[in-house]
């Protein structure tokens, strides 16, 4: 049986071994070893590249790669526009069953928001809220848009699921966050009607019904986004307004989000220069309507996707430097795989949601589980900075390059284990996007990042033949 949903649970465990983190044994640190202030400037790394403006993949090549990846069954990427519209009761129940077997009750005790164990009555009520009895033999799915940044949950509940009491940073019921303006398919509604069971472009789960607007039919949904030109959010987060004078905020949205572009800034007297985009609005009855959204001229956006160059990848990554870590985007942060996903979305490159699947995108430079440190270093010597992903079980990083005989990455990381064992780890908390060298974690019981790298992946031309773009 497919266990895709289990991957999200372990996004950071190989770094943390946090099955039973004791909060009193987490220590904060503002400085990372072997990193200087100048290394936090993207141009420090860009200057090491021979031709940082070289186009690694053209838009046509990116589209072809996306089409091929969408056809693969192992990446769980989804083109919602092409979803079939009729689903049997058995098909939907099988999806719910897969979720339950991946994330439902196990022998492991889970704790709720009050610090008490989730008991039998909780799990019974939760499963009842799946509303399987409300399914017809044949079900016509609905198409909708998110109208604000919203959580997508494993199950239809706001209750948390923690492995240890008060470990609120890691809620096992949290899948991810979905930005506004994303097309989704709705399979089904919960018994209390507060949740919609949805398919998004990169994950399946439950979204609050108040955060979505439902189209009248599939054609209406497709027409809503069927514009010749799109505006791509290239800043960390930006504001979108509901009025042309920027008095009323519509929502915040994040890097990688796209919107149909109606008009762009023009220099005219007595007019406020702005981008005008199309955004979804939820009417009182939950139906979709269109409105114009407004973005200030100086906001960090781009007409169409960015050219896929090493310099542009670098600039995008460093815009999120020091942004907070957030498991499943909790508390407005990003975890390691969402950091990678948002970067590559600005180039139109579709990315899966978790690190294990992201390491299957592009061209593999080898599988390095059990490989010696020297073997990994040989590959890093010829790897292309910024277009190369380094993965270890539960974590993924963007390669920066080499400096003073050390290899560096930028990544979103919760922390590293510096002592203790599996059941009593001592964690040095980092909790943000940082630059680090691959010796980070070397003082811990499980070795450095370099020791634990298992996959090195190049996201570029399939004609990779070694070092061609690094000094």
């Amino acid at each position: 049986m497919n266990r895709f949903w289990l991957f999200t649970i372990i996004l950071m465990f190989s770094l943390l071994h946090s099955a039973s983190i004791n909060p009193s044994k987490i220590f904060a640190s503002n400085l990372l070893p072997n990193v200087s202030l100048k290394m936090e400037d993207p141009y420090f790394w860009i200057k090491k590249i021979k031709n940082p403006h070289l186009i690694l993949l053209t838009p046509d090549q990116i589209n072809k790669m996306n089409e091929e990846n969408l056809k693969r069954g192992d990446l769980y990427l989804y083109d919602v526009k092409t979803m079939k519209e009729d689903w049997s009761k058995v098909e939907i129940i099988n999806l719910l069953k897969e979720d339950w077997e991946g994330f439902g009750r196990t022998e492991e005790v889970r704790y709720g928001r009050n610090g008490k164990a989730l008991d039998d009555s909780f799990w019974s009520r939760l499963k009842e809220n799946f509303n399987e009895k409300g399914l017809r033999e044949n079900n016509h799915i609905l198409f909708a848009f998110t109208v604000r940044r919203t959580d997508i949950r494993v199950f239809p509940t706001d209750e948390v699921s923690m492995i240890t009491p008060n470990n609120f940073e890691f809620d096992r019921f949290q899948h991810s966050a979905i930005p506004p303006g994303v097309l989704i398919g709705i399979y089904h509604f919960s018994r209390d009607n507060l949740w919609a069971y949805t398919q998004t472009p990169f994950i399946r789960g439950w979204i609050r019904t108040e955060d979505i607007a439902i189209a009248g039919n599939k054609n209406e949904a497709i027409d809503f986004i069927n514009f010749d030109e799109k505006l791509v959010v290239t800043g960390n987060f930006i504001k979108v307004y509901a009025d042309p004078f920027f008095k009323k905020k519509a929502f915040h949205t994040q890097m990688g989000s796209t919107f149909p572009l109606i008009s762009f800034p023009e220099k005219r007297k007595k007019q406020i220069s702005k981008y005008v985009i199309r955004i979804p609005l939820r009417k009182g009855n939950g139906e979709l309507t269109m409105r114009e959204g407004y973005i200030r001229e100086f906001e960090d956006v781009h007409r169409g996707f960015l050219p896929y160059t090493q310099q542009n990848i670098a600039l995008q990554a460093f815009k999120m430097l020091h942004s907070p870590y957030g498991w499943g985007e909790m508390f407005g942060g990003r975890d390691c795989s969402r950091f990678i996903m948002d970067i590559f979305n600005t180039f139109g490159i579709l990315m899966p949601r978790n690190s294990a699947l992201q390491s299957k995108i592009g061209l593999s430079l080898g599988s390095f589980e059990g490989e010696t440190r020297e073997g990994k270093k040989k590959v890093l010597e010829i790897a292309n900075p910024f277009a190369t992903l380094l993965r270890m079980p539960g974590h993924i990083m963007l390669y920066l390059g080499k400096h003073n005989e050390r290899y560096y990455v930028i990544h979103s990381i919760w922390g590293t284990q510096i002592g203790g064992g599996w059941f009593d780890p001592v964690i040095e908390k980092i909790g943000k996007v940082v630059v680090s060298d691959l010796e980070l974690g070397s003082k811990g019981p499980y070795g450095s990042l370099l020791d634990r790298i298992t996959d090195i992946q190049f996201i570029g031309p399939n004609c990779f033949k070694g070092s061609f773009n690094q000094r």
Side-chain angles (χ1 to χ4, degrees):
M1 178 171 291
N2 191 326
R3 295 302 179 91
F4 160 69
W5 308 107
L6 288 174
F7 289 131
T8 308
I9 286 182
I10 61 171
L11 280 175
M12 289 296 293
F13 275 19
S14 65
L15 286 176
L16 305 180
H17 298 283
S18 59
S20 58
I21 291 176
N22 182 344
S24 67
K25 294 191 176 183
I26 298 178
F27 302 93
S29 174
N30 294 322
L31 297 174
L32 292 182
N34 307 312
V35 177
S36 64
L37 187 60
K38 64 182 181 181
M39 293 182 189
E40 295 192 332
D41 182 343
Y43 286 98
F44 174 86
W45 302 101
I46 292 169
K47 289 176 182 178
K48 291 177 173 287
I49 301 170
K50 287 182 180 179
N51 185 4
H53 302 288
L54 177 70
I55 300 291
L56 299 180
L57 291 171
T58 67
D60 286 343
Q61 289 173 319
I62 290 173
N63 289 336
K64 182 178 179 181
M65 182 174 69
N66 288 340
E67 289 172 3
E68 292 174 354
N69 288 335
L70 282 166
K71 292 176 184 177
R72 294 174 57 175
D74 62 338
L75 296 178
Y76 298 91
L77 293 170
Y78 215 106
D79 185 359
V80 177
K81 298 191 301 296
T82 65
M83 279 185 72
K84 68 176 185 176
E85 298 185 64
D86 295 300
W87 291 69
S88 70
K89 180 178 181 178
V90 171
E91 286 178 310
I92 296 176
I93 286 178
N94 282 340
L95 296 180
L96 293 167
K97 181 181 178 182
E98 183 177 304
D99 298 346
W100 183 257
E101 291 181 351
F103 288 98
R105 187 165 192 181
T106 65
E107 294 180 1
E108 183 180 71
V109 177
R110 298 289 181 84
Y111 297 87
R113 187 172 284 106
N114 61 6
K116 296 181 179 179
L118 300 175
D119 58 17
D120 291 342
S121 63
F122 167 80
W123 292 105
S124 296
R125 292 193 306 272
L126 179 61
K127 195 165 187 180
E128 190 174 311
N129 205 28
F130 287 6
N131 195 24
E132 292 182 9
K133 293 180 180 179
L135 288 165
R136 302 183 179 92
E137 290 303 319
N138 294 290
N139 302 271
H140 192 75
I141 69 166
L142 301 173
F143 291 86
F145 288 88
T146 50
V147 297
R148 60 182 64 89
R149 191 174 192 262
T150 184
D151 291 331
I152 183 165
R153 306 283 288 168
V154 177
F155 297 129
T157 179
D158 283 324
E159 181 58 273
V160 302
S161 174
M162 301 179 293
I163 291 179
T164 58
N166 304 316
N167 189 14
F168 291 101
E169 292 88 353
F170 296 91
D171 176 6
R172 303 307 183 266
F173 286 165
Q174 176 74 7
H175 264 325
S176 192
I178 308 296
V182 174
L183 176 64
I184 61 174
I186 300 175
Y187 298 106
H188 180 51
F189 290 93
S190 61
R191 184 179 181 183
D192 59 17
N193 210 40
L194 297 178
W195 300 88
Y197 188 45
T198 65
Q199 178 65 60
T200 78
F202 59 86
I203 206 162
R204 184 179 76 232
W206 297 84
I207 295 177
R208 279 275 181 183
T209 54
E210 65 185 9
D211 294 337
I212 60 179
I214 300 173
N217 52 58
K218 183 176 182 178
N219 289 336
E220 180 186 352
I222 293 174
D223 287 345
F224 187 88
I225 56 175
N226 192 22
F227 269 56
D228 292 335
E229 191 169 7
K230 295 188 182 301
L231 191 69
V232 180
V233 177
T234 48
N236 189 2
F237 284 92
I238 70 163
K239 292 180 181 179
V240 177
Y241 290 86
D243 70 288
F245 302 103
F246 310 114
K247 301 293 185 182
K248 183 180 179 182
K249 189 180 76 174
F251 48 72
H252 278 86
T253 192
Q254 68 197 66
M255 183 182 292
S257 301
T258 62
F259 298 92
L261 179 61
I262 297 174
S263 65
F264 50 88
E266 296 182 272
K267 300 300 182 182
R268 295 179 180 177
K269 293 181 179 180
K270 298 182 180 179
Q271 287 193 4
I272 299 176
S273 193
K274 57 189 174 293
Y275 294 92
V276 183
I277 60 174
R278 200 175 196 189
I279 62 175
L281 175 69
R282 175 183 170 89
K283 296 196 290 188
N285 60 2
E287 293 180 356
L288 171 71
T289 187
M290 185 274 286
R291 75 187 305 174
E292 290 184 346
Y294 305 90
I295 299 174
R296 294 181 186 273
E297 179 184 18
F298 57 76
E299 285 282 15
D300 193 346
V301 295
H302 190 266
R303 291 174 59 187
F305 294 114
L306 292 168
Y308 186 57
T309 68
Q310 286 168 286
Q311 173 162 312
N312 283 340
I313 302 169
L315 295 176
Q316 289 306 112
F318 275 83
K319 288 174 184 178
M320 293 183 278
L321 186 66
H322 302 308
S323 294
Y325 176 90
W327 167 278
E329 291 77 72
M330 291 173 60
F331 314 116
R334 291 179 178 88
D335 54 30
C336 61
S337 54
R338 189 55 185 257
F339 170 70
I340 297 295
M341 183 181 181
D342 285 356
I343 292 169
F344 285 91
N345 279 349
T346 63
F347 304 99
I349 296 174
L350 299 179
M351 274 285 178
R353 178 58 187 88
N354 68 69
S355 58
L357 300 184
Q358 287 178 353
S359 67
K360 296 181 179 182
I361 297 293
L363 182 68
S364 173
L365 303 188
S367 179
F368 298 91
E369 190 166 1
E371 177 62 84
T372 64
R373 289 169 57 89
E374 294 307 312
K376 297 173 187 179
K377 287 180 179 181
K378 286 181 181 179
V379 176
L380 293 175
E381 288 287 341
I382 62 172
N384 281 275
F386 296 103
T388 300
L389 302 180
L390 310 182
R391 185 240 171 190
M392 51 186 280
H395 190 55
I396 196 159
M397 305 164 283
L398 186 68
Y399 182 53
L400 295 181
K402 185 179 179 181
H403 180 67
N404 288 343
E405 302 305 313
R406 293 180 179 273
Y407 304 92
Y408 286 83
V409 291
I410 183 170
H411 51 143
S412 185
I413 180 173
W414 168 251
T416 59
Q417 185 169 349
I418 59 175
W422 179 271
F423 294 104
D424 189 28
V426 179
I427 305 298
E428 182 175 38
K429 179 179 175 181
I430 298 172
K432 59 184 177 180
V433 176
V434 294
V435 172
S436 75
D437 77 332
L438 289 179
E439 295 306 319
L440 185 68
S442 60
K443 296 180 181 179
Y446 302 100
S448 68
L449 297 176
L450 179 63
D451 293 326
R452 288 178 281 164
I453 288 173
T454 57
D455 300 274
I456 301 178
Q457 207 77 4
F458 174 57
I459 303 182
N462 290 333
C463 59
F464 178 85
K465 295 181 181 179
S467 180
F468 68 90
N469 201 32
Q470 183 182 12
R471 287 177 181 158

